[in-house]
Amino acid sequence: MEEVSVLLPTPAYSRLTGPLSYSHPSALPPGSLVRVPLGARDSLGLVWPRAAPDAASPPPPERVLKPIAQVLDGIPPLSAHWLQLVDFAAHYYQRSVGEFALACLPPQLREVSAEQLARKIKKHNKIKDLGIAPPQTPPALTAEQATALARLATDPGPFVLHGNTGSGKTEVYLRRAALVLAQDPQAQVLMLVPEINLTPQLEERVRLRFADLGDAAIVSMHSGMTPAQRLNSWLSAHTGQARLVLGTRMAVLASMPHLRLIVVDEEHDPSYKQQEGARYSARDLAVYRGQLEKAQVILGSATPSLESWHHSRDAVPGEAAPRYQRLAMPSRVGSGALPLLRRVDMNNQPRKTLISAPLLAAMRERLARQEQVLVLLNRRGYAPVLHCASCGWKSECPHCSAYRVFHKADRTLRCHHCSLTQPVPRACPGCGNQDIGSFGHGTERLEEHLAELLVDMKRPDGTALRIARIDADSTRLKGELVRQLAEVHDGDVDVLVGTQMVAKGHDFRRVTLVAALNPDGALFSADFRAPERLFSLLMQAAGRAGRDAELSAGSPCEMWVQTFHPAHPLFETLKQHDFAAFAEQQLRERSQAGLPPFTFQALVRAEARSQEAAQDFLNAAREAGDTWLGELELAVTLYPAVPMSMQRVANVERAQMLIESGSRRALQHFLAAWQADLQHLRASHKAVLRWAIDVDPLAI
Ligand code: ADP
Ligand code: ZN
Ligand code: ZN
């Protein structure tokens, strides 16, 4: 009998963090999938490389090991590279390897027996290609695209492809992918996009371009798929049948034994960071994976993250070489010009103005020419607060430190944090006053307001203008977003109102005016990343305009910003479309303040029934950590615990503590050792409901 190490989905706090030993008549290669008894149940496990026996220590006592119940031998073992990837990621993001590794596998794999899997694979292998069509002919390259592709062919990367919206980045990805796939009949390509909603668009483009590979060679991977679809895509990628995998962040952990190219489109997008469980960054893992598997990595964006921008700076003699190489595509394909920035100084507008007179006039002019207008407001619902003028009552959520938002369509008050939904009270719950007022504007109210402002305008066929709203409320039903976007694409909509959801990646050809109504909040936010996010949102939103060169030939497209701070440097650089200047200015500030990418951060968050209990736990952990930090001479700073900015959600109090270091290595070393303190302290802090570490957090 052989002893086999098996990783199981055991969480870090269970103290069973390493692999467990089982017996089997023969040795099994690492990466094999097995089913083993675990407690009273039977669980999916992953055969893990056995640690070399330590010659210095005495041989372990003879133990009676439980046998492996089943080997899922219908599928090849996971590759050594894949095992190394999940091992790295679990350690880096402070998770147990077993829990992390098994969570990377499709959920259905955890439920099936070897027989069921064999049947599935048989069925899967039967999928034959239905008609192999000729591929679509690609357009002739622009000079900038040709230069970028030439660098991709000769340099190692990783690359930051800094290409303006509409500069033809996607075309570069497709060309590079075509070359990589043609050079090696087994090669696989992974293309990541930030949102599920962007996968169908990309998938269509990819399927047309690579029609000659056959349908089965292209698969998607995202959380909107059914468990059966996910298993199928995973098996395709794992067996090498899929040559191209398109997916959201989870796809970075797909098993792809012949991976040669990874593209991360819109690499700056915060949705690449997982916000629960193992809080990994798919972009950062893509770079690690590329290095590990010798796959080329392209991070593309019109507004790269400041981390990627900094890592791709020009080399300075005498300093360490930057980690990434930058490729620039500043021009738009064709003659579509970049939009002009117009600022409205809201200090000169009547109080409580939602849409200023000059903006309204500009919109009406566009609409009269049958062009489309896009209006952004970063707040859904009708009004963010209801209040009573006579007693001061406000629509606070009883369970959260937030106001419940008034939704007029169904006359509810809804908490956007805990989802508490109640009918709007007829009278003030505080004093019985019948006249409760609403405060502020959400997208629902904006839609209503615009309908009033534009009521006299008609479409050429004499019907009223169409105003549509796209936000998390309007798209709650499955398929709604796709349907609504199609309407906009088809020109059935004249004015589109929405949250930032509509600013990403969609191609609205007839939009010639984009307006951001109140972007000021981000200018003075406590979150040091807020300006970076605002700049990229406005730049992306502006990128929606002017895609149709014929339309913009008449009069240039415009991006309107209503602000109380028109002279703010962020708007100055935006006006020039000068991301580089904006990035340099931000990086200077971050460098002076000792913020990322010049330092490395982690957050530990704790949740408890009281704020005090949550903070006590964190501060005790801080003390414990501080005592041995000095001994180890690690330059790591632990800050005192503070309430989170959303302090209370669903009656749970939340606190956090920042950990910072100038050295990633020191921070990692500290966190790994400190886990034991946290687990130990948790036992004596019974009021703590949960705690978690977030490495490289995106929001502080
Ligand atoms: P990005 O990804 O940078 O926003 P895309 O690759 O989507 O840009 O290109 C923008 C538009 O220009 C698309 O409609 C695309 O089909 C078109 N396009 C891209 N490259 C070329 C080219 N070399 N010649 C003509 N049209 C192109
Ligand atoms: Zn009242
Ligand atoms: Zn709530």
Side-chain angles (χ1 to χ4, degrees):
M1 278 291 181
E2 298 282 337
E3 186 172 333
V4 181
S5 295
V6 179
L7 267 188
L8 291 162
T10 46
Y13 57 77
S14 69
R15 288 168 200 277
L16 298 173
T17 53
L20 301 181
S21 292
Y22 289 87
S23 70
H24 194 67
S26 60
L28 289 172
S32 304
L33 291 170
V34 293
R35 299 202 65 89
V36 296
L38 177 69
R41 292 176 309 117
D42 175 67
S43 167
L44 178 69
L46 176 65
V47 175
W48 201 244
R50 286 175 57 73
D54 187 351
S57 60
E62 282 294 315
R63 286 175 298 167
V64 182
L65 297 176
K66 286 189 187 161
I68 284 175
Q70 265 190 336
V71 181
L72 305 185
D73 47 12
I75 50 175
L78 287 136
S79 70
H81 279 148
W82 191 83
L83 300 183
Q84 210 176 324
L85 173 68
V86 295
D87 188 45
F88 166 81
H91 283 103
Y92 187 83
Y93 294 104
Q94 307 297 320
R95 307 295 294 187
S96 98
V97 184
E99 188 183 30
F100 185 75
L102 285 134
C104 294
L105 300 174
Q108 235 185 26
L109 207 52
R110 279 172 245 163
E111 268 105 62
V112 294
S113 67
E115 297 78 43
Q116 288 167 317
L117 189 66
R119 272 200 299 277
K120 259 199 175 301
I121 290 173
K122 214 165 142 198
K123 217 164 101 189
H124 182 76
N125 289 342
K126 269 207 207 118
I127 306 171
K128 281 282 167 283
D129 278 338
L130 310 165
I132 291 184
Q136 181 196 53
T137 324
L141 294 172
T142 65
E144 288 175 2
Q145 286 172 330
T147 309
L149 282 160
R151 290 270 311 274
L152 289 169
T154 52
D155 293 3
F159 294 93
V160 172
L161 175 57
H162 177 223
N164 240 317
T165 48
S167 63
K169 292 186 291 298
T170 312
E171 186 56 39
V172 170
Y173 309 150
L174 296 178
R175 289 289 186 112
R176 185 63 196 157
L179 201 69
V180 166
L181 294 175
Q183 276 170 352
D184 170 355
Q186 288 197 306
Q188 294 178 297
V189 172
L190 173 62
M191 290 178 86
L192 299 177
V193 287
E195 294 213 27
I196 295 181
N197 302 318
L198 297 177
T199 51
Q201 287 184 30
L202 181 64
E203 190 174 333
E204 195 186 312
R205 239 171 123 174
V206 169
R207 283 199 188 280
L208 286 173
R209 185 61 63 83
F210 294 100
D212 56 330
L213 293 178
D215 252 5
I218 298 161
V219 301
S220 288
M221 257 187 216
H222 55 74
S223 58
M225 294 163 53
T226 65
Q229 289 171 327
R230 265 171 80 173
L231 180 57
N232 278 334
S233 291
W234 187 87
L235 286 171
S236 275
H238 178 61
T239 56
Q241 186 180 33
R243 308 285 310 282
L244 247 154
V245 175
L246 310 175
T248 52
R249 64 172 178 259
M250 65 193 289
V252 79
L253 293 156
S255 164
M256 296 177 70
H258 305 287
L259 184 61
R260 293 292 169 268
L261 174 66
I262 310 178
V263 172
V264 184
D265 191 25
E266 310 290 359
E267 68 90 32
H268 64 279
D269 199 292
S271 42
Y272 281 120
K273 181 94 157 75
Q274 168 90 1
Q275 291 298 353
E276 58 195 26
R279 293 165 176 255
Y280 65 86
S281 154
R283 178 198 59 219
D284 296 350
L285 286 183
V287 172
Y288 176 84
R289 188 169 187 181
Q291 228 159 28
L292 183 70
E293 308 202 31
K294 308 260 177 309
Q296 186 167 61
V297 176
I298 308 175
L299 310 177
S301 176
T303 53
S305 64
L306 291 179
E307 281 79 2
S308 299
W309 190 254
H310 178 64
H311 291 318
S312 62
R313 67 194 177 275
D314 290 338
V316 177
E319 281 181 25
R323 293 168 53 204
Y324 305 162
Q325 292 165 287
R326 195 183 294 165
L327 309 173
M329 300 206 302
S331 319
R332 278 190 156 184
V333 176
S335 53
L338 287 165
L340 293 173
L341 181 74
R342 307 256 181 227
R343 283 162 287 187
V344 182
D345 185 346
M346 295 306 277
N347 295 296
N348 303 333
Q349 297 293 321
R351 274 192 64 219
K352 294 191 177 173
T353 297
L354 180 59
I355 296 184
S356 60
L359 172 57
L360 181 63
M363 285 170 58
R364 293 179 65 101
E365 205 179 296
R366 299 279 168 180
L367 292 166
R369 292 203 298 258
Q370 283 100 53
E371 295 170 17
Q372 287 174 308
V373 168
L374 171 61
V375 188
L376 292 174
L377 182 64
N378 223 356
R379 214 177 241 159
R380 62 195 171 89
Y382 188 84
V385 192
L386 280 193
H387 79 127
C388 165
S390 69
C391 76
W393 173 86
K394 284 191 174 135
S395 58
E396 273 162 357
C397 174
H399 310 304
C400 306
S401 42
Y403 292 113
R404 281 174 298 164
V405 174
F406 173 39
H407 287 253
K408 194 174 178 184
D410 55 2
R411 296 206 63 83
T412 55
L413 278 182
R414 276 190 233 160
C415 174
H416 289 179
H417 300 276
C418 72
S419 307
L420 175 72
T421 303
Q422 288 172 332
V424 172
R426 289 185 186 285
C428 169
C431 68
N433 174 13
Q434 300 271 330
D435 188 25
I436 330 179
S438 63
F439 204 75
H441 298 89
T443 44
E444 214 182 307
R445 188 174 202 170
L446 172 60
E447 184 186 10
E448 188 181 282
H449 187 57
L450 276 169
E452 285 160 12
L453 292 174
L454 302 170
V455 68
D456 58 309
M457 293 196 80
K458 296 276 178 284
R459 314 186 107 205
D461 62 4
T463 58
L465 285 187
R466 306 247 173 91
I467 302 175
R469 170 168 60 89
I470 294 189
D471 57 26
D473 296 316
S474 76
T475 55
R476 192 159 289 153
L477 296 175
K478 198 170 154 64
E480 259 310 284
L481 180 63
V482 175
R483 195 189 61 73
Q484 291 176 14
L485 287 172
E487 270 181 16
V488 183
H489 284 263
D490 295 347
D492 284 348
V493 168
D494 303 293
V495 182
L496 178 61
V497 171
T499 53
Q500 58 179 349
M501 207 168 160
V502 293
K504 285 186 191 174
H506 306 289
D507 203 350
F508 304 132
R509 302 217 71 94
R510 286 176 52 243
V511 169
T512 57
L513 187 154
V514 178
L517 297 190
N518 64 351
D520 282 353
L523 297 177
F524 306 101
S525 165
D527 183 345
F528 69 87
R529 281 193 175 84
E532 178 183 355
R533 278 197 301 267
L534 176 62
F535 189 93
S536 107
L537 172 71
L538 295 178
M539 193 96 163
Q540 298 286 338
R544 300 305 110 220
R547 294 220 162 197
D548 204 323
E550 265 171 48
L551 278 175
S552 48
S555 76
C557 297
E558 291 171 335
M559 166 91 207
W560 285 68
V561 171
Q562 296 191 146
T563 172
F564 287 94
H565 307 277
H568 195 284
L570 188 148
F571 297 130
E572 286 296 330
T573 49
L574 187 69
K575 186 178 174 66
Q576 311 296 329
H577 304 283
D578 195 347
F579 174 77
F582 169 75
E584 296 317 324
Q585 175 264 325
Q586 285 286 308
L587 285 169
R588 224 175 6 256
E589 278 181 24
R590 297 236 193 132
S591 157
Q592 281 160 3
L595 290 168
F598 303 97
T599 55
F600 302 92
Q601 298 181 326
L603 273 182
V604 51
R605 301 196 173 94
E607 298 186 357
R609 286 289 169 211
S610 77
Q611 182 62 222
E612 201 190 355
Q615 290 194 20
D616 280 353
F617 167 69
L618 294 177
N619 285 325
R622 174 168 175 248
E623 263 176 46
D626 270 338
T627 55
W628 52 265
L629 258 182
E631 291 162 29
L632 288 181
E633 294 184 17
L634 287 176
V636 175
T637 310
L638 303 179
Y639 291 91
V642 292
M644 282 177 62
S645 57
M646 260 305 294
Q647 178 177 335
R648 191 165 55 103
V649 172
N651 285 328
V652 171
E653 287 284 337
R654 317 182 323 156
Q656 68 179 29
M657 191 164 101
L658 179 65
I659 305 138
E660 210 170 63
S661 177
S663 149
R664 196 191 287 278
R665 188 183 293 261
L667 181 64
Q668 280 287 318
H669 186 140
F670 170 72
L671 292 175
W674 192 44
Q675 284 260 1
D677 283 343
L678 284 157
Q679 271 153 36
H680 178 75
L681 284 164
R682 164 74 191 265
S684 55
H685 287 74
K686 300 242 183 294
V688 172
L689 298 168
R690 40 185 169 266
W691 63 272
I693 295 183
D694 186 353
V695 181
D696 304 331
L698 276 192
I700 301 287

